[in-house]
Amino acid sequence: MTTAIPVPDSATAFGIYVHWPFCAAKCPYCDFNSHVRHQPPDEERFVAAFERELSHFAALTPGRTVTSIFLGGGTPSLMQASTVGALLDRIAALWPVAPDAEITLEANPGSAEAERFRGYRAAGVNRLSLGVQSLDDAALQTLGRIHSVAEALTAVELARATFPRLSFDLIYARPGQTLRDWEAELKKAAALAADHLSLYQLTIEPETPFFRLHEAGKLAVPDSDLAAEFYALTQEVAGAHGLPAYEISNHAAPGGESRHNLTYWRYQDYVGVGPGAHGRLTFDGSKRATMTEKHPERWLEGVERQGHGLVVDEALTLEETADEMLLMGLRLREGVARERYLKMSGRDFSPARLAFLNEHGFIEACGDGRLRTTRNGWLVLDSVVADLAA
Ligand SMILES: C[S@@+](CC[C@H](N)C(=O)[O-])C[C@H]1O[C@@H](n2cnc3c(N)ncnc32)[C@H](O)[C@@H]1O
Ligand code: SF4
């Protein structure tokens, strides 16, 4: 049985993110740090580098207990199960890992990946996050995906039978998609879902093929009014199926929330290893931000040369810390604890701004001293955060 995760008042969560930067093909909408290589990457060499970078961070974080691990990408399901096993074993050798730690692997639904599911489970993965993206073959093609709906359904079924927990991702507000199409697709998805769904509105990211098509007038996406309707419909359908949003784009049954992602949004500590990974760690009450070299082979060389691939490792100012905490926390339904914000930033919200945002229905104060964004506020989150932080 699942129970709701209590909101912690201290920074006890400690996550480890490992980035696998390769994909079989590059999707035209995606600006994640993912690369296609004609030769399969040398997994052993990468594992050795991950291990060295993990050791670097372990030396900085004695006494911490790992509460979640996330193998993300890229396409981590291109890794052999033995590679995943070696990484998880290394993490367990470097830190104590909580017995109930959430260990997620991001997977694409191709049949080759699905064949590895049992191996990942045996290696210790207890949650799969599957990139289904659409339950419509024509839409999968538009999105440049290399899997079919039939493969996605097989992968969902196999994942449900293999892992204790499963989430899958869908992208909506796609070119040409109507509200009715999306309603039907989402209802099907909700019926297939376990305890978690990630529902992302398509965003047009700079320097992607979709961006260039959009600029050239060859790819139409919903305007902001229609996008708001898509969003409202998504909340309604997912909510009616017992999967309310606990974050702007993430829906879960109570207790099914991603603990790892909650660690980010609650602005707790996490280590990020692998090309282009970010981390946030607290030392003596202040946050440090880390980021590694993005380019996979340059990262590899950096780690082999100096034991880590860090290109950013700096203390954040109180102001930066406060802004990040708001930006992350206001994505969550549970919002931000005002007391923690005060403690971390040394400042309070302006009563005039609070009153303004509240009057316009963008934020609300909860009885327990938390401040949270309303559904309307989520639609304009960046402006809400900018207004509060100003
Ligand atoms: C880091 S990707 C990796 C997942 C996995 N490689 C896959 O594609 O199935 C995580 C998710 O971000 C979402 N995503 C990536 N680019 C997006 C975009 N431009 N708009 C909306 N969602 C996007 C997709 O749903 C994807 O599953
Ligand atoms: S969406 Fe996933 S599979 Fe596609 S390029 Fe991005 S990371 Fe790779």
Side-chain angles (χ1 to χ4, degrees):
M1 203 185 85
T2 52
T3 48
I5 299 173
V7 178
D9 56 4
S10 65
T12 47
F14 181 59
I16 309 281
Y17 176 78
V18 181
H19 190 77
W20 183 253
F22 302 111
C23 290
K26 184 82 190 176
C27 306
Y29 54 83
C30 175
D31 78 340
F32 281 82
N33 187 29
S34 62
H35 306 259
V36 178
R37 296 285 180 260
H38 296 300
Q39 294 297 322
D42 180 345
E43 290 193 19
E44 270 183 39
R45 198 172 157 203
F46 269 90
V47 169
F50 282 130
E51 291 185 353
R52 283 193 70 185
E53 201 168 56
L54 285 164
S55 302
H56 172 82
F57 282 107
L60 296 172
T61 53
R64 301 298 305 257
T65 296
V66 174
T67 51
S68 65
I69 301 170
F70 196 101
L71 305 169
T75 306
S77 55
L78 292 175
M79 276 190 273
Q80 300 302 319
S82 57
T83 304
V84 169
L87 282 172
L88 297 181
D89 289 349
R90 186 65 185 169
I91 291 171
L94 290 167
W95 290 275
V97 177
D100 63 347
E102 175 188 274
I103 305 180
T104 305
L105 179 127
E106 250 175 9
N108 283 28
S111 48
E113 280 94 339
E115 277 172 21
R116 289 193 275 267
F117 286 0
R118 282 195 190 87
Y120 296 143
R121 177 71 190 115
V125 172
N126 56 26
R127 181 173 180 272
L128 202 77
S129 173
L130 200 56
V132 169
Q133 318 307 357
S134 172
L135 294 174
D136 178 289
D137 274 317
L140 286 175
Q141 224 170 2
T142 308
L143 291 172
R145 301 294 297 194
I146 54 175
H147 68 268
S148 62
V149 173
E151 278 178 307
L153 296 178
T154 307
V156 167
E157 202 179 318
L158 186 60
R160 288 201 67 158
T162 310
F163 298 94
R165 295 174 66 199
L166 166 73
S167 176
F168 61 86
D169 299 356
L170 293 175
I171 297 180
Y172 68 97
R174 303 181 303 249
Q177 190 182 33
T178 65
L179 288 165
R180 281 186 67 171
D181 295 339
W182 173 231
E183 184 175 4
E185 190 175 349
L186 181 54
K187 282 183 174 164
K188 259 192 237 165
L192 283 173
D195 61 355
H196 194 284
L197 274 183
S198 298
L199 304 171
Y200 299 113
Q201 259 193 39
L202 177 67
T203 55
I204 302 297
E205 303 294 342
E207 290 175 39
T208 59
F210 267 23
F211 184 82
R212 290 186 281 278
L213 284 172
H214 187 247
E215 289 281 280
K218 292 180 182 159
L219 185 93
V221 287
D223 63 19
S224 57
D225 286 346
L226 183 55
E229 282 187 65
F230 266 105
Y231 193 73
L233 176 65
T234 305
Q235 306 311 303
E236 195 185 302
V237 175
H241 284 79
L243 294 164
Y246 67 100
E247 189 266 352
I248 295 182
S249 307
N250 283 278
H251 296 250
E257 300 88 350
S258 159
R259 287 170 193 229
H260 185 82
N261 289 336
L262 278 176
T263 302
Y264 301 151
W265 297 318
R266 286 174 174 166
Y267 208 42
Q268 293 165 322
D269 281 5
Y270 55 96
V271 159
V273 300
H278 292 255
R280 290 289 180 277
L281 294 169
T282 310
F283 296 105
D284 298 328
S286 321
K287 281 275 180 195
R288 277 195 91 76
T290 66
M291 191 181 77
T292 53
E293 163 62 45
K294 273 182 90 173
H295 186 272
E297 285 76 19
R298 278 205 292 275
W299 170 82
L300 199 55
E301 286 159 18
V303 179
E304 288 172 351
R305 202 174 48 245
Q306 59 190 11
H308 63 75
L310 288 169
V311 290
V312 175
D313 184 6
E314 62 190 21
L316 295 177
T317 63
L318 275 184
E319 199 165 30
E320 287 166 336
T321 304
D323 288 354
E324 285 196 345
M325 185 185 167
L326 268 191
L327 200 60
M328 292 287 124
L330 289 178
R331 302 177 66 97
L332 287 172
R333 190 77 200 112
E334 70 186 28
V336 169
R338 192 167 175 180
E339 203 182 309
R340 188 160 169 244
Y341 178 80
L342 279 173
K343 209 164 124 190
M344 292 189 83
S345 71
R347 63 182 186 196
D348 200 356
F349 302 113
S350 139
R353 286 180 198 280
L354 279 186
F356 174 84
L357 290 167
N358 183 253
E359 253 167 51
H360 287 77
F362 294 135
I363 59 161
E364 59 197 9
C366 318
D368 56 358
R370 302 183 73 81
L371 192 70
R372 66 183 197 182
T373 317
T374 60
R375 196 180 280 182
N376 282 342
W378 271 349
L379 289 170
V380 288
L381 182 65
D382 287 348
S383 315
V384 171
V385 172
D387 209 43
L388 268 178

